[in-house]
């Protein structure tokens, strides 16, 4: 470990991610050694007092800890609201199931709850939220009943938490909370990134969906939470594995340098999770979207075949796939959207850090890291692939060959 004289880094004037980046950039010449994975910092310079050293270590190891706690609370409350709506939806008759309004109510309600909890619990500094919904349609006169229902649900959900005052929010408060989600994000400052219901198709079917919340700081994802109300605690995607574990509803949370935790959505202590260590593709199973319209199932199948994967695909909705992969249920997630579709940051930011902090790798089809600093969209080289470090090189080779074959056969038509 190279050590030399410390150069000044002001802890107070930098956000944790800038502080760590600035130290890492100067790491070869200066006195700090940082393992980004563990955020353990040692300082050898005799000029640094032990007080400074321990303050620095404490600041770095606790970076974003408060924000993560609040994010977990926000996503859990939003999940409670979504569960209420999904339960009513699944009990309703066929006619109202084809009506889109329950999804609308849950989507807006979830976004309002998350925005309100973040703002109430983290009142200092500016607030920026990049989120899927805005209130444009809700402000139309024909949406009055829907807005009333959303406002009731938001008030019921917040008042279920003892720390919130019982004074009810008005419809205007709820509209304003939804509209905080209009931020464009970008490479500077802090931005929360929210998908209030990821996997709306799964939500309507009664299958998987997730409330996905992440925080960007200076363009990097520094924490993420995935609330997956319908994800079993027992592993999924292992057809021959019987489990006595029947509990459902998982909360994944990850913070930069601190690993990934999973706990029951409505209670239980967090436990660390890790991606699968499988190195032999023949033993791996892979996830993809349930919806063929969201991902090219044919291309995934050709990639899996080239790689030597034998198991059939496990198809589930939403970023629950990232959560399941982070705890080792499957080893690979393949997502190749149809031509022209632009991936949004809220569909991947939380899942990205949940997987990377569990030891996995998330890349585009060319092996590039995903860049969340470009605004509301990801700029991608065709597709997103997720797996463990060992399998990634051979997976990228299989992707390259399958994509080339696909374009050759398209051009020969
Ligand atoms: N044509 C398309 N191609 C790829 N993704 C799409 C798509 N249409 C919608 N999506 C995205 O796919 C997400 C669901 O992911 P998955 O396919 O993994 O379940 C949707 O999130 P929402 O449900 O929040 O709209 C939506 O953002
Ligand atoms: Mg989504």
């Amino acid at each position: 470990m190279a050590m030399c004289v410390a150069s000044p880094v002001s802890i107070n004037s930098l956000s944790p991610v800038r502080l760590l980046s600035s130290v890492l950039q100067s790491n070869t010449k200066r006195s700090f050694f940082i393992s980004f994975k563990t955020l353990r910092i040692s300082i050898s310079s005799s000029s640094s007092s032990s007080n400074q050293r321990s303050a620095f270590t404490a600041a770095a190891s606790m970076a974003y800890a408060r924000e993560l706690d609040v994010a977990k609370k926000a996503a859990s409350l939003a999940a409670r609201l979504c569960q209420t709506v999904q339960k009513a939806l699944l009990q309703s008759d066929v006619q109202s199931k084809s009506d889109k309004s329950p999804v609308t109510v849950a989507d807006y309600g979830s976004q309002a709850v998350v925005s309100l909890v973040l703002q109430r619990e983290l009142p200092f500094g500016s607030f920026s939220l990049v989120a899927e919904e805005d209130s444009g349609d809700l402000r139309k006169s024909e949406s009055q009943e829907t807005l009333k229902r959303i406002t009731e649900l938001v008030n019921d959900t917040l008042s279920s938490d003892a720390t919130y005052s019982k004074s009810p929010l008005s419809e205007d408060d709820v509209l304003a909370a939804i509209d905080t989600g209009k931020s464009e994000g970008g490479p500077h400052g802090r931005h929360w990134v929210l998908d209030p219901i990821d996997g709306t198709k799964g939500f309507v079917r009664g299958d998987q969906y997730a409330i996905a919340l992440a925080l960007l700081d200076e363009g990097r994802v520094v924490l993420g939470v995935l609330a997956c109300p319908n994800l079993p605690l027992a592993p999924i995607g292992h057809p021959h594995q019987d489990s006595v574990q029947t509990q459902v509803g998982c909360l994944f949370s990850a913070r930069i340098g601190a690993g990934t935790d999973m706990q029951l959505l409505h209670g239980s202590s967090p436990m660390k999770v890790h991606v699968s260590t499988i190195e032999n593709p023949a033993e791996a199973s892979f996830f993809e979207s349930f919806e063929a319209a969201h991902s090219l199932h044919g291309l995934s199948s050709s990639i899996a075949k080239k790689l030597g994967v034998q198991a059939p695909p496990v198809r589930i909705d939403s970023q629950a796939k990232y959560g399941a992969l982070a705890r080792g249920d499957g080893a690979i997630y393949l997502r190749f959207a149809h031509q022209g579709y632009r991936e949004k940051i809220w569909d991947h930011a939380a899942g990205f850090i949940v997987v990377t902090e569990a030891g996995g790798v998330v890349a585009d089809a060319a092996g590039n890291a995903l860049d969340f600093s470009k605004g509301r969209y990801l700029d991608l080289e065709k597709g997103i692939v997720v797996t463990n470090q060992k399998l990634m090189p051979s997976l990228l080779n299989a992707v390259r060959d399958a994509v080339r074959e696909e374009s050759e056969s398209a051009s020969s038509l």
Side-chain angles (χ1 to χ4, degrees), residues 132 195 197-201 289-291 293-295 316-319 321 333 335 337-338 341 343-344 346-347:
E132 191 167 10
D195 195 336
I197 296 188
D198 181 37
T200 42
K201 296 257 169 66
S289 282
F290 185 92
E291 297 288 333
H294 294 180
S295 193
I316 60 170
D317 304 280
S318 84
Q319 287 170 72
K321 291 186 276 298
Y333 168 22
R335 184 183 190 88
H338 292 259
Y341 182 80
E343 295 281 359
K344 284 101 170 183
W346 54 77
D347 278 323

Side-chain angles (χ1 to χ4, degrees), residues 15-35:
S15 71
V17 78
R18 285 181 63 198
L19 166 68
L20 292 165
S21 302
S22 74
V23 171
L24 283 170
Q25 277 161 16
S26 56
N27 193 22
T28 48
K29 290 201 241 98
R30 297 184 183 166
S31 65
F32 296 98
F33 171 81
I34 297 193
S35 156

